[in-house]
PDB file of all heavy atoms in Angstrom:
ATOM      1  N   ALA A  79       7.360  15.668   7.041  1.00  0.00           N
ATOM      2  CA  ALA A  79       8.232  16.414   6.123  1.00  0.00           C
ATOM      3  C   ALA A  79       9.290  15.501   5.508  1.00  0.00           C
ATOM      4  O   ALA A  79       9.593  15.608   4.308  1.00  0.00           O
ATOM      5  CB  ALA A  79       8.891  17.580   6.864  1.00  0.00           C
ATOM      6  N   ALA A  80       9.839  14.590   6.301  1.00  0.00           N
ATOM      7  CA  ALA A  80      10.824  13.643   5.762  1.00  0.00           C
ATOM      8  C   ALA A  80      10.175  12.741   4.718  1.00  0.00           C
ATOM      9  O   ALA A  80      10.787  12.431   3.686  1.00  0.00           O
ATOM     10  CB  ALA A  80      11.437  12.820   6.886  1.00  0.00           C
ATOM     11  N   ALA A  81       8.932  12.339   4.958  1.00  0.00           N
ATOM     12  CA  ALA A  81       8.209  11.537   3.962  1.00  0.00           C
ATOM     13  C   ALA A  81       8.021  12.329   2.673  1.00  0.00           C
ATOM     14  O   ALA A  81       8.157  11.774   1.576  1.00  0.00           O
ATOM     15  CB  ALA A  81       6.863  11.075   4.526  1.00  0.00           C
ATOM     16  N   ASP A  82       7.733  13.618   2.804  1.00  0.00           N
ATOM     17  CA  ASP A  82       7.631  14.469   1.614  1.00  0.00           C
ATOM     18  C   ASP A  82       8.946  14.493   0.840  1.00  0.00           C
ATOM     19  O   ASP A  82       8.954  14.442  -0.397  1.00  0.00           O
ATOM     20  CB  ASP A  82       7.268  15.909   2.011  1.00  0.00           C
ATOM     21  CG  ASP A  82       5.795  16.086   2.327  1.00  0.00           C
ATOM     22  OD1 ASP A  82       4.973  15.260   1.868  1.00  0.00           O
ATOM     23  OD2 ASP A  82       5.470  17.058   3.032  1.00  0.00           O
ATOM     24  N   LEU A  83      10.053  14.595   1.563  1.00  0.00           N
ATOM     25  CA  LEU A  83      11.360  14.598   0.901  1.00  0.00           C
ATOM     26  C   LEU A  83      11.603  13.289   0.163  1.00  0.00           C
ATOM     27  O   LEU A  83      12.141  13.292  -0.951  1.00  0.00           O
ATOM     28  CB  LEU A  83      12.472  14.849   1.916  1.00  0.00           C
ATOM     29  CG  LEU A  83      12.621  16.278   2.392  1.00  0.00           C
ATOM     30  CD1 LEU A  83      13.645  16.352   3.526  1.00  0.00           C
ATOM     31  CD2 LEU A  83      13.037  17.188   1.236  1.00  0.00           C
ATOM     32  N   VAL A  84      11.226  12.183   0.766  1.00  0.00           N
ATOM     33  CA  VAL A  84      11.380  10.884   0.098  1.00  0.00           C
ATOM     34  C   VAL A  84      10.620  10.887  -1.218  1.00  0.00           C
ATOM     35  O   VAL A  84      11.130  10.422  -2.247  1.00  0.00           O
ATOM     36  CB  VAL A  84      10.906   9.735   1.014  1.00  0.00           C
ATOM     37  CG1 VAL A  84      10.801   8.424   0.248  1.00  0.00           C
ATOM     38  CG2 VAL A  84      11.838   9.586   2.207  1.00  0.00           C
ATOM     39  N   ILE A  85       9.432  11.462  -1.208  1.00  0.00           N
ATOM     40  CA  ILE A  85       8.603  11.497  -2.421  1.00  0.00           C
ATOM     41  C   ILE A  85       9.205  12.430  -3.468  1.00  0.00           C
ATOM     42  O   ILE A  85       9.418  12.032  -4.611  1.00  0.00           O
ATOM     43  CB  ILE A  85       7.160  11.903  -2.075  1.00  0.00           C
ATOM     44  CG1 ILE A  85       6.489  10.796  -1.245  1.00  0.00           C
ATOM     45  CG2 ILE A  85       6.364  12.211  -3.344  1.00  0.00           C
ATOM     46  CD1 ILE A  85       5.170  11.201  -0.610  1.00  0.00           C
ATOM     47  N   VAL A  86       9.494  13.673  -3.089  1.00  0.00           N
ATOM     48  CA  VAL A  86       9.939  14.649  -4.098  1.00  0.00           C
ATOM     49  C   VAL A  86      11.349  14.359  -4.614  1.00  0.00           C
ATOM     50  O   VAL A  86      11.655  14.678  -5.769  1.00  0.00           O
ATOM     51  CB  VAL A  86       9.834  16.112  -3.621  1.00  0.00           C
ATOM     52  CG1 VAL A  86       8.407  16.475  -3.266  1.00  0.00           C
ATOM     53  CG2 VAL A  86      10.777  16.425  -2.498  1.00  0.00           C
ATOM     54  N   LEU A  87      12.191  13.754  -3.780  1.00  0.00           N
ATOM     55  CA  LEU A  87      13.545  13.411  -4.219  1.00  0.00           C
ATOM     56  C   LEU A  87      13.613  12.018  -4.841  1.00  0.00           C
ATOM     57  O   LEU A  87      14.665  11.621  -5.351  1.00  0.00           O
ATOM     58  CB  LEU A  87      14.524  13.501  -3.046  1.00  0.00           C
ATOM     59  CG  LEU A  87      14.671  14.886  -2.404  1.00  0.00           C
ATOM     60  CD1 LEU A  87      15.586  14.809  -1.189  1.00  0.00           C
ATOM     61  CD2 LEU A  87      15.180  15.905  -3.416  1.00  0.00           C
ATOM     62  N   ASP A  88      12.497  11.287  -4.779  1.00  0.00           N
ATOM     63  CA  ASP A  88      12.395   9.939  -5.340  1.00  0.00           C
ATOM     64  C   ASP A  88      13.522   9.047  -4.805  1.00  0.00           C
ATOM     65  O   ASP A  88      14.278   8.444  -5.569  1.00  0.00           O
ATOM     66  CB  ASP A  88      12.410   9.991  -6.868  1.00  0.00           C
ATOM     67  CG  ASP A  88      11.970   8.670  -7.489  1.00  0.00           C
ATOM     68  OD1 ASP A  88      11.250   7.896  -6.816  1.00  0.00           O
ATOM     69  OD2 ASP A  88      12.366   8.400  -8.648  1.00  0.00           O
ATOM     70  N   ILE A  89      13.603   8.958  -3.472  1.00  0.00           N
ATOM     71  CA  ILE A  89      14.687   8.211  -2.846  1.00  0.00           C
ATOM     72  C   ILE A  89      14.185   7.026  -2.004  1.00  0.00           C
ATOM     73  O   ILE A  89      14.919   6.500  -1.169  1.00  0.00           O
ATOM     74  CB  ILE A  89      15.586   9.139  -1.990  1.00  0.00           C
ATOM     75  CG1 ILE A  89      14.765   9.887  -0.940  1.00  0.00           C
ATOM     76  CG2 ILE A  89      16.366  10.082  -2.878  1.00  0.00           C
ATOM     77  CD1 ILE A  89      15.595  10.701   0.033  1.00  0.00           C
ATOM     78  N   GLY A  90      12.963   6.639  -2.212  1.00  0.00           N
ATOM     79  CA  GLY A  90      12.398   5.503  -1.485  1.00  0.00           C
ATOM     80  C   GLY A  90      11.009   5.209  -2.007  1.00  0.00           C
ATOM     81  O   GLY A  90      10.523   5.865  -2.936  1.00  0.00           O
ATOM     82  N   SER A  91      10.375   4.247  -1.414  1.00  0.00           N
ATOM     83  CA  SER A  91       9.044   3.833  -1.831  1.00  0.00           C
ATOM     84  C   SER A  91       8.020   4.955  -1.637  1.00  0.00           C
ATOM     85  O   SER A  91       7.799   5.417  -0.515  1.00  0.00           O
ATOM     86  CB  SER A  91       8.614   2.610  -1.013  1.00  0.00           C
ATOM     87  OG  SER A  91       7.234   2.379  -1.147  1.00  0.00           O
ATOM     88  N   ARG A  92       7.423   5.360  -2.726  1.00  0.00           N
ATOM     89  CA  ARG A  92       6.395   6.399  -2.663  1.00  0.00           C
ATOM     90  C   ARG A  92       5.206   5.917  -1.841  1.00  0.00           C
ATOM     91  O   ARG A  92       4.651   6.661  -1.043  1.00  0.00           O
ATOM     92  CB  ARG A  92       5.958   6.798  -4.069  1.00  0.00           C
ATOM     93  CG  ARG A  92       4.899   7.873  -4.090  1.00  0.00           C
ATOM     94  CD  ARG A  92       4.463   8.240  -5.513  1.00  0.00           C
ATOM     95  NE  ARG A  92       3.684   9.448  -5.453  1.00  0.00           N
ATOM     96  CZ  ARG A  92       4.161  10.673  -5.615  1.00  0.00           C
ATOM     97  NH1 ARG A  92       5.440  10.845  -5.875  1.00  0.00           N
ATOM     98  NH2 ARG A  92       3.381  11.732  -5.534  1.00  0.00           N
TER      99      ARG A  92
END
Side-chain angles (χ1 to χ4, degrees):
D82 282 338
L83 284 173
V84 169
I85 292 168
V86 300
L87 298 176
D88 194 24
I89 56 174
S91 166
R92 180 181 192 94

